[in-house]
Amino acid sequence: MWAQLNREGIEVARCTVERLMRANGWRGVTRTNRVRTTVADPAAARPSDLVDRQSEAPRVASPTRPDSPHKPKLDSILPTSSALAS
């Protein structure tokens, strides 16, 4: 609507058009075909957890490997004793 008004030469702020459209319950053209058919009632009681979900997962013991590719090797970080002697 804002773009159409500007094309017709009527200068109006976009926020004003948004406010007026919201107040009147108007919606602009959407690019999707989605229609919201169900609106939840905030006063309605929520159903209990019917599948008895567990909120915590058991911790899996991860093996520590000295040659893990994610940890830098000490050889590449620390100089060797032969390099220190020279």
Side-chain angles (χ1 to χ4, degrees):
M1 184 167 296
W2 172 78
Q4 180 63 33
L5 289 171
N6 281 331
R7 280 192 290 269
E8 292 175 5
I10 303 170
E11 292 186 18
V12 63
R14 186 183 302 185
C15 60
T16 304
V17 174
E18 290 174 0
R19 181 178 47 81
L20 291 172
M21 288 179 69
R22 190 170 38 249
N24 290 311
W26 298 340
R27 291 184 144 216
V29 176
T30 59
R31 295 175 188 234
T32 61
N33 293 331
R34 296 182 183 149
V35 177
R36 186 171 181 181
T37 58
T38 305
V39 179
D41 183 11
R46 300 285 181 221
S48 62
D49 190 8
L50 301 176
V51 293
D52 194 26
R53 288 177 277 226
Q54 301 296 323
S55 61
E56 293 184 14
R59 184 179 173 124
V60 178
S62 61
T64 56
R65 293 177 25 202
D67 58 345
S68 174
H70 302 292
K71 295 180 181 177
K73 294 182 180 181
L74 290 177
D75 295 356
S76 62
I77 297 174
L78 300 175
T80 59
S81 60
S82 62
L84 290 175
S86 57

